[in-house]
Amino acid sequence: MHDHTPPAIDIPFRRIHADGEPPDAIARAVAVERPVAIEFNGIGYAVMMATPADLDDFVTGFAFAERLVTRADQVIEIDRHTRDDGDLLRVTLAADCAERVVERARHRVSESSCGLCGIENLAQAIRPLPPVTATPRATDGAVFAALATLRAHQPLNRATGAVHAAARVAADGRLVAVREDVGRHNAFDKLIGAMLRAGADWDGGFALLSSRCSYELVEKAALAQCPQLVTISAPTSLAIARARDCGLKLTVLARPDAMLEVEA
């Protein structure tokens, strides 16, 4: 599948000056945000607001985060239809996933990037997580090294200033892969989907996210058996509780001069 819509477009603006100088005309790159409707096995499942890039990775990671698939080869086909008002992803999952799709779809009335939206049953909202058995091997120095190079691997954000990044970082602090999106959840889904499709492992490394740490991101990390989750902004109480429950090493408010490690 090829992406049909650019992730950023140039928009004209009038720049207003505080010193009273006359306004001047400029053009600035703006991140594209479009509705992406997702069907699994013919069932309308979700409509997400996303950046129309790496959508194969996105829908694979999304299906994994929704626990509809456990392996990339269960995503049989991804058929993308681009319209003026958004994109439709018609996804064929393996036959052994069909019952899961029907069961989960029953609990989704409406959908957004927020994990609780559209879920009728609270028991479905906070589902048990698998214990994280992967061992983190990155030193504090490796985390600081990754922080120092993240911006250089965010071309879309550098152009627009409006998107999040999710990076797979090796144990030595080297950035291996980065995905960007207007939604922090979407960026992480894209990264995890890319890893699933490539058969890649965290290998003692960590995920670095340019966002606050919400509980949904902790859940995605745990399901992907990520040894350590590092976020640039602060966590929520539920994110900390979920990380403790599943044994995920959580590092937050990661800045060039300091970071906080959540105590187990």
Side-chain angles (χ1 to χ4, degrees):
M1 180 187 76
H2 299 287
D3 290 335
H4 307 286
T5 306
I9 56 175
D10 287 336
I11 301 290
F13 292 89
R14 288 176 68 244
R15 180 164 50 194
I16 311 299
H17 300 276
D19 61 6
E21 286 292 315
D24 55 320
I26 66 167
R28 179 182 171 87
V30 173
V32 172
E33 183 176 27
R34 284 167 58 86
V36 177
I38 300 171
E39 290 183 4
F40 290 119
N41 293 356
I43 297 175
Y45 193 88
V47 178
M48 311 293 286
M49 301 304 294
T51 300
D54 303 307
L55 289 183
D56 281 4
D57 293 340
F58 171 52
V59 79
T60 301
F62 179 74
F64 182 80
E66 287 291 297
R67 311 191 195 195
L68 302 178
V69 303
T70 57
R71 308 183 312 274
D73 62 7
Q74 290 173 310
V75 180
I76 306 300
E77 185 178 8
I78 303 170
D79 189 14
R80 176 175 176 181
H81 300 268
T82 299
R83 300 158 40 105
D84 289 341
D85 56 353
D87 292 284
L88 170 61
L89 301 180
R90 289 194 168 112
V91 185
T92 302
L93 301 183
D96 59 349
C97 303
E99 187 174 338
R100 283 176 240 164
V101 173
V102 173
E103 177 63 23
R104 284 289 292 147
R106 285 197 315 106
H107 294 282
R108 303 176 69 93
V109 177
S110 62
E111 189 58 54
S112 78
S113 61
C114 302
L116 285 173
C117 299
I119 296 181
E120 297 172 300
N121 187 337
L122 287 178
Q124 286 287 320
I126 309 296
R127 291 178 287 171
L129 291 173
V132 175
T133 57
T135 302
R137 294 192 289 106
T139 63
D140 293 342
V143 176
F144 284 121
L147 283 167
T149 58
L150 179 61
R151 185 172 179 80
H153 292 80
Q154 295 179 256
L156 184 55
N157 191 61
R158 204 161 51 244
T160 67
V163 298
H164 284 292
R168 173 187 164 211
V169 187
D172 62 2
R174 177 176 45 90
L175 271 68
V176 179
V178 180
R179 292 292 184 269
E180 293 184 278
D181 197 277
V182 289
R184 63 187 188 277
H185 308 86
N186 300 343
F188 203 15
D189 280 341
K190 287 179 178 181
L191 179 68
I192 292 170
M195 292 179 65
L196 285 170
R197 297 175 67 218
D201 186 79
W202 295 99
D203 194 24
F206 58 94
L208 173 59
L209 308 184
S210 65
S211 67
R212 70 180 177 89
C213 183
S214 59
Y215 86 95
E216 303 99 325
L217 299 177
V218 167
E219 293 189 347
K220 293 177 191 296
L223 290 169
Q225 284 296 295
C226 177
Q228 181 179 2
L229 177 61
V230 181
T231 67
I232 287 176
S233 289
T236 66
S237 61
L238 186 55
I240 293 173
R242 296 293 270 165
R244 285 172 172 163
D245 286 345
C246 66
L248 171 68
K249 183 176 181 180
L250 191 59
T251 305
V252 298
L253 284 169
R255 306 295 168 83
D257 60 336
M259 57 188 176
L260 300 180
E261 184 175 311
V262 175
E263 294 185 355

